[in-house]
């Protein structure tokens, strides 16, 4: 009897030890993947977007042309990064901090720098290359980004806004304008020609002729850029411990409007009440509470 | 340890990739073959195609200057060899030279080519030892081309018809 109990105890201890090893292995893998994403994958993605954003394929010769980011795209990229910081998509003090090792700060700075140039080149790829439309697009980009600086945004909304902004600009440049100024006469040119004779013949909005592959390159650039933004953590150490996550949740809560904040508090209290009524008296993490609340 | 290794690799890789992107925008190759040529020139493995160079010299001797220039361009697509650029400039000179008047457009292209040859040669001094040529130094060829492209009262001198092509 005693022997059987001892054996059962030993087996339980072994199972616990194996479980702990597996948990450690998973945590190890997670940590390695996190480091690889921040220090290798993200710079690669953003630099590839920066490279592809300025590539054009000329219409007749099919020759490559590399368009360096114009000054206006650098200004737009600064505004976009400010928007990321305001929308807490990027927590700058988390990325660059006195608490970090110099090597870590250098690596983080390079990742942020690659994000900046990827942003500039993402704008470059959707900005018309010449004429009145170039100025119109630049103006609307500036207008939108400036307006959003004062909007109440969280990380998810910021990301959605950025995707919508680039998606709209892509459709306007590579579908509408490309069709309007296609040398062989796109569908829009024919429609415009039928409606207002000579509207497409003016030099005000004339665009340089580019091959259709330029549109595909631009699409690839924007897709890569958005994937990079999705993978980008708010701060490199985010999610490492419960305290950081809890602080982040509290920070998000503070950014809500008063009505939304009251609603969130009421929901948390309702969830807590339901849990207590069900007899669950174990303490739970803030995120877990909110997750169960979402369910 | 793992942290530092990944960070160091990340920094090295990011700097290398960023340098590649900057290089690509600086050189702006128009085709993939130009990209290959620029890359080999950057890493120091670039060399002039000697067979094409000699074929171009043969065309030059037979006074087929335009064909010779095209062949030299194929031999040195990145335009990084001083000797080839010197010959190219010489071909512009010979084709543009005339008893009554010179072709200014060809002479100006010749000046561009010889300027490039001087820029590419160490110390800016280039001498080509070729018995078929009457001008052997890049500086002399440049002076000849510049003089030929200028419009002066001397152009009206009837004795010009007696001068010889170099």
């Amino acid at each position: 009897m005693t022997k059987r109990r001892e054996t059962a105890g030993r087996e339980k201890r072994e199972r616990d030890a194996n479980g702990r090893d597996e948990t450690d292995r998973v945590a190890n893998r997670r940590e390695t993947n996190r480091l690889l994403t921040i220090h290798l994958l993200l710079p690669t993605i953003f630099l590839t977007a920066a490279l592809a954003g300025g590539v054009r394929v000329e219409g007749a010769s099919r020759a490559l042309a590399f368009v360096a980011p114009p000054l206006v795209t650098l200004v737009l990229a600064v505004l976009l990064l400010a928007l990321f910081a305001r929308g807490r998509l990027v927590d700058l003090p988390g990325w660059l901090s006195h608490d970090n090792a110099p090597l870590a700060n250098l690596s983080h700075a390079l990742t942020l720098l690659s994000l900046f140039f990827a942003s500039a080149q993402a704008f470059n790829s959707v900005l018309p290359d010449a004429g009145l439309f170039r100025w119109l697009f630049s103006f609307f980009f500036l207008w939108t980004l400036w307006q959003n600086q004062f909007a109440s945004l969280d990380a998810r909304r910021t990301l959605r806004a950025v995707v919508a902004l680039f998606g709209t600009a892509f459709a306007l440049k590579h579908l509408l304008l490309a069709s309007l100024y296609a040398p062989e006469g796109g569908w829009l040119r024919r429609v415009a020609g039928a409606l207002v004779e000579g509207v497409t013949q003016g030099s005000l909005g004339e665009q340089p002729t580019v091959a259709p592959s330029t549109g595909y390159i631009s699409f690839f650039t924007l897709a890569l850029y958005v994937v990079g933004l999705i993978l980008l953590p708010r701060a490199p150490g985010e999610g490492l411990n419960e305290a950081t996550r809890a602080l982040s949740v509290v920070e998000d809560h503070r950014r809500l409007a008063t009505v939304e904040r009251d609603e969130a508090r009421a929901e948390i209290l309702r969830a807590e009440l339901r849990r207590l009524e069900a007899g669950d008296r174990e303490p739970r993490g803030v995120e877990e509470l909110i997750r169960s609340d979402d369910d | 340890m793992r942290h530092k290794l990944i960070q160091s690799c990340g920094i090295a890789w990011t700097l290398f990739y960023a340098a590649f992107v900057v290089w690509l925008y600086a050189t702006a190759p128009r085709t993939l073959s130009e990209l290959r040529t620029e890359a080999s020139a950057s890493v120091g493995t670039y060399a002039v195609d000697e067979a094409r160079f000699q074929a171009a010299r043969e065309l030059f001797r037979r006074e087929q200057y335009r064909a010779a220039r095209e062949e030299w361009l194929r031999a040195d697509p990145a335009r990084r060899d001083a000797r080839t650029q010197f010959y190219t400039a010489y071909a512009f000179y010979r084709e543009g030279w005339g008893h009554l008047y010179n072709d200014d457009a060809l002479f100006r292209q010749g000046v561009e080519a010889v300027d490039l040859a001087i820029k590419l040669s160490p110390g800016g001094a280039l001498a080509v030892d070729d018995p078929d040529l009457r001008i052997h130094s890049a500086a002399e060829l440049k002076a000849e081309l510049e003089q030929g492209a200028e419009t002066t009262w001397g152009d009206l001198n009837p004795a010009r018809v007696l001068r010889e092509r170099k």
Side-chain angles (χ1 to χ4, degrees), chain A residues 17-30:
Chain A
N18 287 341
R20 269 198 303 276
D21 283 353
E22 185 56 32
T23 313
D24 285 350
R25 265 199 297 275
V26 170
N28 240 341
R29 272 202 297 268
R30 190 181 298 147

Side-chain angles (χ1 to χ4, degrees), chain B:
Chain B
M1 187 62 202
R2 188 184 47 177
H3 262 77
K4 279 194 175 169
L5 181 70
I6 293 175
Q7 278 169 0
S8 306
C9 288
I11 290 168
W13 165 246
T14 308
L15 290 176
F16 170 77
Y17 195 21
F20 170 71
V21 174
V22 171
W23 172 80
L24 210 54
Y25 274 77
T27 53
R30 293 173 61 79
T31 58
L32 287 178
S33 65
E34 250 184 59
L35 174 67
R36 274 196 295 274
T37 308
E38 290 289 347
S40 62
S42 298
V43 296
T45 55
Y46 179 76
V48 173
D49 186 337
E50 197 56 36
R52 279 190 188 279
F53 179 84
Q54 292 305 337
R57 259 184 74 182
E58 195 50 47
L59 288 167
F60 180 78
R61 274 195 211 106
R62 283 192 267 134
E63 302 204 343
Q64 293 179 6
Y65 301 117
R66 201 164 292 190
R69 283 199 303 271
E70 280 182 14
E71 203 59 20
W72 272 319
L73 187 61
R74 283 193 205 102
D76 179 23
R79 299 176 55 168
R80 283 176 182 259
D81 182 54
R83 185 183 56 150
T84 312
Q85 293 312 311
F86 176 83
Y87 274 102
T88 306
Y90 216 123
F92 277 121
Y93 165 74
R94 287 228 171 138
E95 193 186 353
W97 189 90
H99 276 289
L100 294 174
Y101 64 91
N102 298 324
D103 186 326
D104 287 351
L106 286 173
F107 267 49
R108 273 194 291 273
Q109 289 181 71
V111 172
E112 275 174 30
V114 78
D115 274 341
L116 186 58
I118 291 169
K119 203 173 122 190
L120 292 169
S121 50
L126 175 70
V128 175
D129 192 19
D130 185 337
D132 292 335
L133 307 178
R134 291 179 64 185
I135 301 173
H136 296 285
S137 83
E140 202 185 337
L141 179 60
K142 186 182 174 183
E144 193 72 23
L145 283 161
E146 280 177 343
Q147 264 177 9
E150 281 170 7
T151 308
T152 59
W153 286 109
D155 293 345
L156 302 173
N157 185 357
R160 271 173 62 91
V161 290
L162 300 173
R163 70 200 171 105
E164 278 185 28
R165 191 179 69 175
K166 290 181 181 173

Side-chain angles (χ1 to χ4, degrees), chain A residues 31-32 44 48 51 54 64 121, chain B residues 2-3 10 13 17 25 30:
Chain A
E31 175 63 2
T32 307
T44 307
T48 308
L51 166 64
L64 292 172
Q121 287 293 69
Chain B
R2 188 184 47 177
H3 262 77
W13 165 246
Y17 195 21
Y25 274 77
R30 293 173 61 79

